Amino acid sequence: MTVPELADVHAAWLPPEAFQAVGERHTLVCGDGPLVRTALAEVAQACRRHGGTVRHLPASMGDDPPAGDDPPTGADGSFDLVLAVSRTGRPDHDGFELARAAGVTRVVADGPAGLLYGLFHVVRLGAAAFGADRPAEQHRPAMRRRMVNHWDNVAAHPVMGQVERGYSGGSIFWRDGALRTDLTRVTAYARLLASCGINAVSVNNVNVHATEALLLTDRLEDVAAIAALFRPYGIRVHLSVSFAAPVTLGGLNTADPLDARVRAWWARTTARVYGTIPDFGGYVVKADSEGQPGPFAYGRSHADGANVLADALAPFGGVVDWRAFVYNHRQDWRDRSTDRARAAYDHFAPLDGEFRDNVHLQVKHGPIDFQTREPVSPVFAAMPATRVAVELQVTQEYTGQQRHVCYLAPMWSGVLGFEPWRDGRSVAGIAAAGGGLVAVSNVGDDRFWTGHPLAQANLYAFGRLAWSPRLDAATILDEWIDLTFTPSATGEPDLLRRTLHALMDDSWQTYERYTAPLGIGFMVRPGDHYGPDVDGYEYSPWGTYHFADRDGVGVDRTRASGTGFAGQYPPAWAAVYESLEDCPDELLLFFHHVPYGHVLHSGVTVIQHIYDTHFAGVEAVTGARRLWERLPAGLVDLALHARVGDRLDEQLRCAREWRDQINTYFFRKSGVPDARGRRIF
Ligand code: GCW
């Protein structure tokens, strides 16, 4: 097992310097198996660089992990760090206990994965792990499953390219229709993921095209090769499959989930998968959505569809991630009873209790589609007898496409902390009891992994929130900064940290300010979803309307006079969203159609809010760009500095474009001038 160091690829949050505190010390690693060997290799590599030592004690050679004040002596007589797998722990729990006493820092893990997570936690603490005594702290992930989905195509798609909604170059797995020949990068990725706690990955797009469909059968060896690289880091590989596979791959004339031949085909095919990849994670399925095949074609329900795959996977411990992103994308604007926001609930809530235990219903965090601001999906509260997983989008499809700084942890904290019944039970708790947290990855073969170097923080934050949903977004950012950037001898102490916080802490709200206002969403260019086009989707069948006219704007989703979507929430929130008086400002236009003169809780009218926020958003980006330019040379890597600088230039250009188009659009619709007389074209 070797730990890769890639010469021309940025080390993200695991540069060799991050391991200094561990690498300078004397470490004992106790335990067996591939994950323990991974931890050993990590420590050994750090020691080679920083001068420490490491010794391995296989569990079979010792009794319990060496305890208390008396760790076994090594060549040099003592250890500073002991990493051990407990004999009594729950190996499937991924947790560990960390303590420091009598000059020894001890990690005692539930199982081998916990040992690896414990090591990465010590790395995160750095020198602080070896300072004052620490009473025993328990670390256990809130979510058993912490997963990233890749929307990577094996063969580049004519429109979507190698990675659908990818803003970081090509796929790290696939290229020109084949598995890449050099997969070193995948191992480097596995380390990054494991270090922030991620333990599952799907390796192909949920839109399964012809070449990708073959991964399940003829090209299974490709998946096995990837699984072999993720395995040492405790990450299971999953595959997106096509519901029509029994027809397209199996030669049957139907994919009807209740047909015995179809069931047998899935069972046979799945058994073969496990014959090749014994720790295979399971299937991800997008069915009856945006043109993907599904059970509706046979008059069957989504529970019927999911269960046939679940039954095939169950004997091997696999799961189906069945996506709830099912809606009618051929809508007629005149039909005000069809509301895309309602769709997931309308399709799935009636099926509660009908899914097998190994089905995770994967629900996007908002009812529409990863917009900058949406209410939390009502589905989370509606399916108590179903294992629900929360799906987030780390790739910034609608949040600036990794050309804009947009630190998403504050948005995700809001989703995870949301209490559908306002009684202490949160979305994080629902996900923890169900299918965990899932996110669409933002990684590609870009030198900085994520196009925008600062977008690395989003992937890191996703992993940390899946482990510990209550972690504060600014604290996570500090962790990421400490790991990623080596303290520099030059410049004011902490200048870089302060600059990064200034750029990132409120960047999601800044982005919101200069784009679509008050929760209305979209207004992006159709197709690529970048940049402003207020009416781009207004005259299309996708169902993402804003209904702006000369009198007002917004979608009436009340029960009283609108689509009734507000009624999908438990009463405490249904009443808030239904009421024009109580609805939070930031979601006003999601739930209500109001005149431009409507006064917000903030005290300004809707139209003035639109003008004010758009000017303020551009000012914030101007300020961020200036701060970045002023960073003294040498404080960060030159290439990274240049890349962020270029992206900030583009962000500023684009923010101005948004400001001007939105302001002019609403000025022309409403005829109401800006109270402060600023320039509106
Ligand atoms: O946000 C939309 C994207 C599609 C994507 C779809 C989905 C993979 O525009 O590119 O398809 O969501 O989540 O399935």
Side-chain angles (χ1 to χ4, degrees), residues 163-208:
V163 181
E164 180 152 346
R165 311 305 178 187
Y167 311 104
S168 312
S171 166
I172 59 170
F173 308 114
W174 317 104
R175 186 179 200 159
D176 301 334
L179 184 66
R180 280 174 174 268
T181 41
D182 179 1
L183 290 171
T184 324
R185 187 100 189 230
V186 176
T187 300
Y189 184 50
R191 296 179 74 216
L192 290 171
L193 293 185
S195 74
C196 60
I198 290 165
N199 66 354
V201 170
S202 65
V203 296
N204 65 308
N205 191 357
V206 290
N207 291 326
V208 184

Short mmCIF file of all heavy atoms in Angstrom, two decimals, residues 163-208:
data_model
loop_
_atom_site.label_atom_id
_atom_site.label_comp_id
_atom_site.label_asym_id
_atom_site.label_seq_id
_atom_site.Cartn_x
_atom_site.Cartn_y
_atom_site.Cartn_z
N VAL A 163 -18.61 14.84 -17.71
CA VAL A 163 -19.27 14.88 -16.40
C VAL A 163 -20.50 15.80 -16.50
O VAL A 163 -20.36 16.98 -16.79
CB VAL A 163 -18.33 15.43 -15.31
CG1 VAL A 163 -19.04 15.44 -13.95
CG2 VAL A 163 -17.06 14.60 -15.23
N GLU A 164 -21.68 15.24 -16.28
CA GLU A 164 -22.88 16.07 -16.33
C GLU A 164 -22.84 17.06 -15.17
O GLU A 164 -22.63 16.68 -14.02
CB GLU A 164 -24.13 15.18 -16.24
CG GLU A 164 -25.41 15.99 -16.28
CD GLU A 164 -26.60 15.22 -16.87
OE1 GLU A 164 -26.40 14.16 -17.48
OE2 GLU A 164 -27.75 15.71 -16.72
N ARG A 165 -23.04 18.32 -15.50
CA ARG A 165 -22.97 19.40 -14.49
C ARG A 165 -21.64 19.39 -13.76
O ARG A 165 -21.58 19.67 -12.55
CB ARG A 165 -24.12 19.29 -13.47
CG ARG A 165 -25.50 19.13 -14.08
CD ARG A 165 -25.82 20.21 -15.06
NE ARG A 165 -27.15 20.00 -15.67
CZ ARG A 165 -27.60 20.74 -16.67
NH1 ARG A 165 -26.87 21.71 -17.19
NH2 ARG A 165 -28.79 20.52 -17.17
N GLY A 166 -20.59 19.03 -14.49
CA GLY A 166 -19.25 19.04 -13.91
C GLY A 166 -18.54 20.33 -14.31
O GLY A 166 -18.62 20.76 -15.46
N TYR A 167 -17.85 20.94 -13.36
CA TYR A 167 -17.19 22.22 -13.62
C TYR A 167 -15.72 22.14 -13.25
O TYR A 167 -15.10 23.11 -12.84
CB TYR A 167 -17.92 23.34 -12.85
CG TYR A 167 -19.41 23.25 -13.10
CD1 TYR A 167 -20.26 22.75 -12.13
CD2 TYR A 167 -19.92 23.57 -14.35
CE1 TYR A 167 -21.62 22.59 -12.39
CE2 TYR A 167 -21.28 23.43 -14.62
CZ TYR A 167 -22.12 22.93 -13.64
OH TYR A 167 -23.45 22.77 -13.91
N SER A 168 -15.18 20.93 -13.35
CA SER A 168 -13.81 20.69 -12.89
C SER A 168 -13.06 19.82 -13.88
O SER A 168 -12.26 18.97 -13.49
CB SER A 168 -13.84 20.00 -11.53
OG SER A 168 -14.72 20.64 -10.65
N GLY A 169 -13.36 20.01 -15.16
CA GLY A 169 -12.67 19.21 -16.16
C GLY A 169 -13.35 17.87 -16.35
O GLY A 169 -14.54 17.71 -16.11
N GLY A 170 -12.56 16.89 -16.78
CA GLY A 170 -13.11 15.57 -17.09
C GLY A 170 -13.28 14.72 -15.84
O GLY A 170 -13.03 15.15 -14.71
N SER A 171 -13.69 13.48 -16.08
CA SER A 171 -13.89 12.54 -14.98
C SER A 171 -12.54 12.01 -14.50
O SER A 171 -11.62 11.83 -15.30
CB SER A 171 -14.75 11.38 -15.48
OG SER A 171 -14.72 10.31 -14.57
N ILE A 172 -12.43 11.74 -13.20
CA ILE A 172 -11.19 11.10 -12.72
C ILE A 172 -11.22 9.59 -12.95
O ILE A 172 -10.21 8.92 -12.81
CB ILE A 172 -10.90 11.40 -11.23
CG1 ILE A 172 -12.03 10.91 -10.33
CG2 ILE A 172 -10.64 12.88 -11.01
CD1 ILE A 172 -11.69 10.96 -8.85
N PHE A 173 -12.39 9.06 -13.32
CA PHE A 173 -12.50 7.62 -13.56
C PHE A 173 -12.45 7.27 -15.05
O PHE A 173 -11.83 6.30 -15.45
CB PHE A 173 -13.83 7.07 -13.03
CG PHE A 173 -14.13 7.42 -11.61
CD1 PHE A 173 -15.21 8.24 -11.28
CD2 PHE A 173 -13.35 6.92 -10.58
CE1 PHE A 173 -15.51 8.55 -9.97
CE2 PHE A 173 -13.63 7.23 -9.25
CZ PHE A 173 -14.71 8.04 -8.95
N TRP A 174 -13.17 8.04 -15.83
CA TRP A 174 -13.45 7.66 -17.22
C TRP A 174 -12.89 8.67 -18.20
O TRP A 174 -12.84 9.87 -17.92
CB TRP A 174 -14.97 7.57 -17.44
CG TRP A 174 -15.68 6.88 -16.33
CD1 TRP A 174 -16.43 7.46 -15.35
CD2 TRP A 174 -15.70 5.48 -16.07
NE1 TRP A 174 -16.91 6.50 -14.50
CE2 TRP A 174 -16.48 5.28 -14.90
CE3 TRP A 174 -15.13 4.35 -16.70
CZ2 TRP A 174 -16.72 4.02 -14.36
CZ3 TRP A 174 -15.36 3.11 -16.15
CH2 TRP A 174 -16.15 2.95 -15.01
N ARG A 175 -12.55 8.17 -19.37
CA ARG A 175 -12.11 9.07 -20.43
C ARG A 175 -12.35 8.41 -21.78
O ARG A 175 -11.96 7.25 -21.97
CB ARG A 175 -10.62 9.34 -20.25
CG ARG A 175 -10.12 10.38 -21.21
CD ARG A 175 -8.66 10.61 -20.95
NE ARG A 175 -8.27 11.87 -21.50
CZ ARG A 175 -7.19 12.53 -21.11
NH1 ARG A 175 -6.43 12.06 -20.16
NH2 ARG A 175 -6.89 13.66 -21.68
N ASP A 176 -12.97 9.16 -22.68
CA ASP A 176 -13.20 8.69 -24.05
C ASP A 176 -13.77 7.27 -24.12
O ASP A 176 -13.30 6.45 -24.88
CB ASP A 176 -11.88 8.72 -24.85
CG ASP A 176 -11.27 10.11 -24.89
OD1 ASP A 176 -12.04 11.08 -24.77
OD2 ASP A 176 -10.04 10.21 -25.04
N GLY A 177 -14.72 7.00 -23.29
CA GLY A 177 -15.40 5.72 -23.39
C GLY A 177 -14.75 4.58 -22.62
O GLY A 177 -15.23 3.45 -22.67
N ALA A 178 -13.66 4.84 -21.92
CA ALA A 178 -12.95 3.75 -21.24
C ALA A 178 -12.56 4.16 -19.82
O ALA A 178 -12.54 5.34 -19.47
CB ALA A 178 -11.70 3.37 -22.03
N LEU A 179 -12.21 3.15 -19.04
CA LEU A 179 -11.63 3.42 -17.73
C LEU A 179 -10.26 4.03 -17.95
O LEU A 179 -9.51 3.58 -18.83
CB LEU A 179 -11.50 2.09 -16.96
CG LEU A 179 -11.00 2.17 -15.52
CD1 LEU A 179 -12.02 2.89 -14.63
CD2 LEU A 179 -10.75 0.76 -14.97
N ARG A 180 -9.91 5.05 -17.21
CA ARG A 180 -8.59 5.65 -17.38
C ARG A 180 -7.50 4.61 -17.09
O ARG A 180 -7.69 3.73 -16.25
CB ARG A 180 -8.41 6.81 -16.40
CG ARG A 180 -9.07 8.09 -16.87
CD ARG A 180 -8.97 9.12 -15.78
NE ARG A 180 -9.47 10.40 -16.24
CZ ARG A 180 -8.68 11.34 -16.79
NH1 ARG A 180 -7.39 11.15 -16.92
NH2 ARG A 180 -9.21 12.47 -17.21
N THR A 181 -6.40 4.75 -17.76
CA THR A 181 -5.34 3.77 -17.54
C THR A 181 -4.57 4.07 -16.25
O THR A 181 -4.22 3.17 -15.50
CB THR A 181 -4.37 3.71 -18.74
OG1 THR A 181 -4.14 5.04 -19.18
CG2 THR A 181 -4.96 2.89 -19.86
N ASP A 182 -4.35 5.35 -15.98
CA ASP A 182 -3.67 5.70 -14.73
C ASP A 182 -4.73 6.14 -13.71
O ASP A 182 -5.37 7.18 -13.87
CB ASP A 182 -2.69 6.84 -14.99
CG ASP A 182 -1.97 7.25 -13.71
OD1 ASP A 182 -2.23 6.65 -12.64
OD2 ASP A 182 -1.15 8.20 -13.78
N LEU A 183 -4.89 5.32 -12.68
CA LEU A 183 -5.94 5.61 -11.70
C LEU A 183 -5.36 6.10 -10.37
O LEU A 183 -6.04 6.09 -9.34
CB LEU A 183 -6.80 4.36 -11.47
CG LEU A 183 -7.69 3.97 -12.66
CD1 LEU A 183 -8.33 2.61 -12.44
CD2 LEU A 183 -8.77 5.02 -12.93
N THR A 184 -4.13 6.55 -10.38
CA THR A 184 -3.50 7.05 -9.14
C THR A 184 -4.38 8.12 -8.50
O THR A 184 -4.49 8.21 -7.28
CB THR A 184 -2.13 7.67 -9.46
OG1 THR A 184 -1.53 6.92 -10.50
CG2 THR A 184 -1.24 7.69 -8.25
N ARG A 185 -4.96 8.90 -9.35
CA ARG A 185 -5.79 10.01 -8.86
C ARG A 185 -6.98 9.51 -8.04
O ARG A 185 -7.46 10.19 -7.14
CB ARG A 185 -6.28 10.77 -10.10
CG ARG A 185 -7.00 12.01 -9.84
CD ARG A 185 -6.10 13.19 -10.03
NE ARG A 185 -6.77 14.38 -9.56
CZ ARG A 185 -6.88 15.50 -10.27
NH1 ARG A 185 -6.35 15.60 -11.47
NH2 ARG A 185 -7.49 16.53 -9.76
N VAL A 186 -7.47 8.31 -8.38
CA VAL A 186 -8.61 7.77 -7.65
C VAL A 186 -8.19 7.44 -6.21
O VAL A 186 -8.94 7.67 -5.26
CB VAL A 186 -9.20 6.54 -8.37
CG1 VAL A 186 -10.32 5.92 -7.56
CG2 VAL A 186 -9.72 6.95 -9.75
N THR A 187 -7.00 6.92 -6.05
CA THR A 187 -6.51 6.65 -4.69
C THR A 187 -6.35 7.96 -3.92
O THR A 187 -6.72 8.05 -2.74
CB THR A 187 -5.18 5.88 -4.75
OG1 THR A 187 -5.41 4.66 -5.43
CG2 THR A 187 -4.64 5.60 -3.36
N ALA A 188 -5.82 8.96 -4.59
CA ALA A 188 -5.68 10.27 -3.92
C ALA A 188 -7.06 10.80 -3.50
O ALA A 188 -7.23 11.37 -2.42
CB ALA A 188 -4.97 11.26 -4.85
N TYR A 189 -8.03 10.56 -4.35
CA TYR A 189 -9.40 10.99 -4.05
C TYR A 189 -9.97 10.20 -2.87
O TYR A 189 -10.60 10.77 -1.98
CB TYR A 189 -10.25 10.77 -5.31
CG TYR A 189 -11.68 11.23 -5.24
CD1 TYR A 189 -12.01 12.50 -4.80
CD2 TYR A 189 -12.71 10.39 -5.66
CE1 TYR A 189 -13.34 12.93 -4.77
CE2 TYR A 189 -14.04 10.80 -5.65
CZ TYR A 189 -14.34 12.07 -5.20
OH TYR A 189 -15.66 12.49 -5.19
N ALA A 190 -9.72 8.91 -2.88
CA ALA A 190 -10.22 8.06 -1.78
C ALA A 190 -9.69 8.56 -0.44
O ALA A 190 -10.43 8.62 0.55
CB ALA A 190 -9.80 6.61 -2.01
N ARG A 191 -8.44 8.96 -0.39
CA ARG A 191 -7.86 9.51 0.86
C ARG A 191 -8.60 10.76 1.27
O ARG A 191 -8.93 10.96 2.43
CB ARG A 191 -6.42 9.96 0.67
CG ARG A 191 -5.43 8.98 0.33
CD ARG A 191 -4.07 9.68 0.16
NE ARG A 191 -3.48 10.08 1.42
CZ ARG A 191 -2.77 11.19 1.58
NH1 ARG A 191 -2.59 12.02 0.58
NH2 ARG A 191 -2.24 11.46 2.74
N LEU A 192 -8.82 11.66 0.29
CA LEU A 192 -9.50 12.92 0.61
C LEU A 192 -10.89 12.63 1.18
O LEU A 192 -11.30 13.22 2.18
CB LEU A 192 -9.61 13.80 -0.63
CG LEU A 192 -8.31 14.41 -1.15
CD1 LEU A 192 -8.54 15.08 -2.50
CD2 LEU A 192 -7.75 15.43 -0.15
N LEU A 193 -11.59 11.70 0.54
CA LEU A 193 -12.95 11.39 0.99
C LEU A 193 -12.92 10.77 2.38
O LEU A 193 -13.67 11.17 3.28
CB LEU A 193 -13.64 10.44 0.00
CG LEU A 193 -13.95 11.00 -1.38
CD1 LEU A 193 -14.75 9.98 -2.20
CD2 LEU A 193 -14.71 12.32 -1.33
N ALA A 194 -12.05 9.78 2.57
CA ALA A 194 -12.01 9.10 3.87
C ALA A 194 -11.63 10.09 4.98
O ALA A 194 -12.14 10.01 6.10
CB ALA A 194 -11.02 7.94 3.83
N SER A 195 -10.77 11.02 4.66
CA SER A 195 -10.30 11.94 5.70
C SER A 195 -11.41 12.84 6.21
O SER A 195 -11.32 13.39 7.29
CB SER A 195 -9.13 12.78 5.19
OG SER A 195 -9.61 13.76 4.29
N CYS A 196 -12.47 13.02 5.41
CA CYS A 196 -13.61 13.78 5.94
C CYS A 196 -14.81 12.86 6.17
O CYS A 196 -15.93 13.33 6.36
CB CYS A 196 -13.95 14.98 5.05
SG CYS A 196 -14.40 14.61 3.37
N GLY A 197 -14.57 11.57 6.17
CA GLY A 197 -15.58 10.64 6.67
C GLY A 197 -16.50 10.00 5.64
O GLY A 197 -17.40 9.26 6.01
N ILE A 198 -16.27 10.24 4.36
CA ILE A 198 -17.18 9.69 3.34
C ILE A 198 -16.89 8.20 3.14
O ILE A 198 -15.74 7.79 3.07
CB ILE A 198 -17.04 10.51 2.04
CG1 ILE A 198 -17.64 11.90 2.28
CG2 ILE A 198 -17.73 9.81 0.87
CD1 ILE A 198 -17.28 12.94 1.26
N ASN A 199 -17.96 7.39 3.07
CA ASN A 199 -17.73 5.94 2.99
C ASN A 199 -18.47 5.25 1.85
O ASN A 199 -18.57 4.02 1.84
CB ASN A 199 -18.07 5.28 4.33
CG ASN A 199 -19.55 5.38 4.68
OD1 ASN A 199 -20.32 6.03 3.98
ND2 ASN A 199 -19.95 4.74 5.76
N ALA A 200 -19.01 6.01 0.91
CA ALA A 200 -19.68 5.37 -0.24
C ALA A 200 -19.60 6.31 -1.45
O ALA A 200 -19.69 7.53 -1.30
CB ALA A 200 -21.14 5.08 0.08
N VAL A 201 -19.42 5.70 -2.62
CA VAL A 201 -19.29 6.49 -3.85
C VAL A 201 -20.02 5.76 -4.98
O VAL A 201 -19.85 4.55 -5.14
CB VAL A 201 -17.79 6.61 -4.26
CG1 VAL A 201 -17.66 7.22 -5.65
CG2 VAL A 201 -17.01 7.45 -3.27
N SER A 202 -20.82 6.50 -5.76
CA SER A 202 -21.30 5.90 -7.00
C SER A 202 -20.50 6.53 -8.14
O SER A 202 -20.18 7.71 -8.10
CB SER A 202 -22.81 6.14 -7.19
OG SER A 202 -23.08 7.51 -7.35
N VAL A 203 -20.18 5.71 -9.13
CA VAL A 203 -19.14 6.12 -10.07
C VAL A 203 -19.63 6.47 -11.47
O VAL A 203 -18.82 6.72 -12.36
CB VAL A 203 -18.03 5.03 -10.18
CG1 VAL A 203 -17.33 4.87 -8.85
CG2 VAL A 203 -18.61 3.71 -10.67
N ASN A 204 -20.95 6.50 -11.67
CA ASN A 204 -21.45 6.92 -12.98
C ASN A 204 -22.77 7.67 -12.85
O ASN A 204 -23.49 7.54 -11.85
CB ASN A 204 -21.61 5.72 -13.93
CG ASN A 204 -22.67 4.74 -13.45
OD1 ASN A 204 -22.63 4.30 -12.30
ND2 ASN A 204 -23.61 4.41 -14.30
N ASN A 205 -23.03 8.43 -13.88
CA ASN A 205 -24.18 9.34 -13.93
C ASN A 205 -25.51 8.60 -13.68
O ASN A 205 -25.70 7.49 -14.18
CB ASN A 205 -24.17 9.98 -15.33
CG ASN A 205 -25.13 11.13 -15.47
OD1 ASN A 205 -25.87 11.46 -14.55
ND2 ASN A 205 -25.11 11.75 -16.65
N VAL A 206 -26.41 9.29 -12.99
CA VAL A 206 -27.75 8.73 -12.79
C VAL A 206 -28.55 8.71 -14.10
O VAL A 206 -29.52 7.96 -14.22
CB VAL A 206 -28.54 9.51 -11.71
CG1 VAL A 206 -27.96 9.26 -10.34
CG2 VAL A 206 -28.60 11.01 -12.02
N ASN A 207 -28.18 9.56 -15.04
CA ASN A 207 -28.70 9.41 -16.40
C ASN A 207 -27.82 8.35 -17.05
O ASN A 207 -26.67 8.62 -17.41
CB ASN A 207 -28.62 10.72 -17.18
CG ASN A 207 -29.59 11.75 -16.64
OD1 ASN A 207 -30.67 11.43 -16.17
ND2 ASN A 207 -29.19 13.02 -16.68
N VAL A 208 -28.34 7.14 -17.17
CA VAL A 208 -27.51 6.02 -17.62
C VAL A 208 -27.67 5.86 -19.13
O VAL A 208 -28.72 5.44 -19.61
CB VAL A 208 -27.92 4.72 -16.89
CG1 VAL A 208 -26.99 3.58 -17.29
CG2 VAL A 208 -27.89 4.91 -15.38
#
